[in-house]
Amino acid sequence: MLTTGGSVCKVQFGYQTTTMTDLFPAGASAVDTEDEGTLVDLNSKIESSECYGRNEAAGFPMTNLFIGDSRLGCKSDADEQLIIHVAFKEFVKVCTWTDAISSYGPPSGTSSTFVAHEVSSSPQIRSIKLTEYNNGMDPECNPSKIHIFVNRTNIGFEDWEDVDPTQTLHLTTEQLKESADPISLKYVKYQRVKNLTFFIEDNQGGEVSALGGMKLFGKPVQTPKMSDFNKSKEGM
């Protein structure tokens, strides 16, 4: 049975009441809520070997987007359309506090029985910062319409219309300025992201499309350590 007292959650196992502090001591994050924690740059979580671009120009691959120099950037080749696929290093196994109890078993001395299971997840994405190529020297190459697909693989130019995008961005030149704020994404649709596919469909009138940089902001989901849980059980 779950009870709450102020900001403390309690779980009733038989006749013993266990608080969330008992289950997850300091340093073991049990719940990653929408408003909890500070957003960080998730580019360090990207697995570059699994990233790719389609219709990217020679010398301007999508990997340039993460270097931090907009003079390099990524350009399309034959026309204005460009596909950029970004993959993260690995799924992070995360348990909500109820799942953690189920996985690790109830504290010592209780009689409740649980079915073990875990929830697989990966970084939560909140916003994206897209920067114009070469400090805006070619504004007609700025993307104006980008479709984003979450956890989709091998989307090509021939079949992207058969898949509903997670979100479509209609961009202005001002949004791509270095000084512009990151673009907020629909948070509920980016909570468990293993990979992102960006399809640049159109630009501001140029023959090719170009971007100078990309940064993804969110939170890596943390997993309660088994050792921390065992320590909390020993202290009960």
Side-chain angles (χ1 to χ4, degrees):
M1 179 177 68
L2 171 66
T3 61
T4 58
S7 59
V8 179
C9 293
K10 298 181 179 180
V11 184
Q12 186 75 37
F13 294 106
Y15 296 103
Q16 179 175 337
T17 299
T18 303
T19 68
M20 291 305 297
T21 303
D22 295 329
L23 289 172
F24 299 98
S29 175
V31 183
D32 197 335
T33 62
E34 180 173 351
D35 297 325
E36 188 177 272
T38 303
L39 300 188
V40 298
D41 184 347
L42 293 172
N43 285 11
S44 63
K45 305 296 182 181
I46 292 174
E47 179 55 79
S48 58
S49 64
E50 296 182 13
C51 298
Y52 60 81
R54 289 178 175 169
N55 192 37
E56 59 185 7
F60 295 93
M62 60 85 61
T63 50
N64 283 357
L65 295 174
F66 308 106
I67 293 176
D69 188 343
S70 72
R71 296 171 298 178
L72 302 175
C74 178
K75 289 185 178 182
S76 61
D77 185 18
D79 54 30
E80 75 281 3
Q81 295 190 343
L82 177 65
I83 288 178
I84 298 170
H85 183 79
V86 178
F88 291 94
K89 290 181 178 179
E90 61 184 7
F91 277 109
V92 177
K93 287 187 176 180
V94 59
C95 298
T96 64
W97 65 269
T98 50
D99 294 330
I101 296 170
S102 300
S103 297
Y104 302 144
S108 176
T110 65
S111 58
S112 300
T113 302
F114 294 83
V115 178
H117 66 286
E118 289 183 334
V119 178
S120 292
S121 186
S122 50
Q124 301 173 340
I125 312 296
R126 297 290 188 86
S127 60
I128 181 173
K129 173 58 179 166
L130 299 173
T131 306
E132 59 189 349
Y133 172 73
N134 198 15
N135 296 315
M137 293 297 292
D138 301 300
E140 71 278 1
C141 296
N142 288 343
S144 61
K145 189 176 185 179
I146 301 180
H147 304 285
I148 306 176
F149 302 86
V150 172
N151 297 338
R152 296 280 186 172
T153 57
N154 298 320
I155 291 180
F157 296 105
E158 69 285 350
D159 57 9
W160 72 268
E161 291 182 299
D162 298 329
V163 183
D164 291 332
T166 302
Q167 187 172 354
T168 297
L169 303 179
H170 297 273
L171 303 175
T172 65
T173 298
E174 290 302 315
Q175 288 177 297
L176 298 176
K177 296 292 185 183
E178 185 70 40
S179 58
D181 293 332
I183 300 166
S184 296
L185 300 175
K186 297 177 180 177
Y187 170 74
V188 295
K189 295 186 177 183
Y190 298 85
Q191 294 192 53
R192 295 173 183 169
V193 179
K194 185 61 169 67
N195 53 69
L196 294 169
T197 304
F198 301 87
F199 172 58
I200 298 177
E201 182 183 5
D202 205 357
N203 61 21
Q204 300 292 345
E207 293 184 2
V208 299
S209 296
L211 273 175
M214 175 186 292
K215 287 185 178 181
L216 298 162
F217 297 96
K219 294 188 293 181
V221 181
Q222 301 297 324
T223 307
K225 295 180 180 179
M226 188 65 176
S227 58
D228 290 334
F229 181 80
N230 287 337
K231 290 177 182 178
S232 69
K233 288 173 63 178
E234 292 172 0
M236 291 178 181

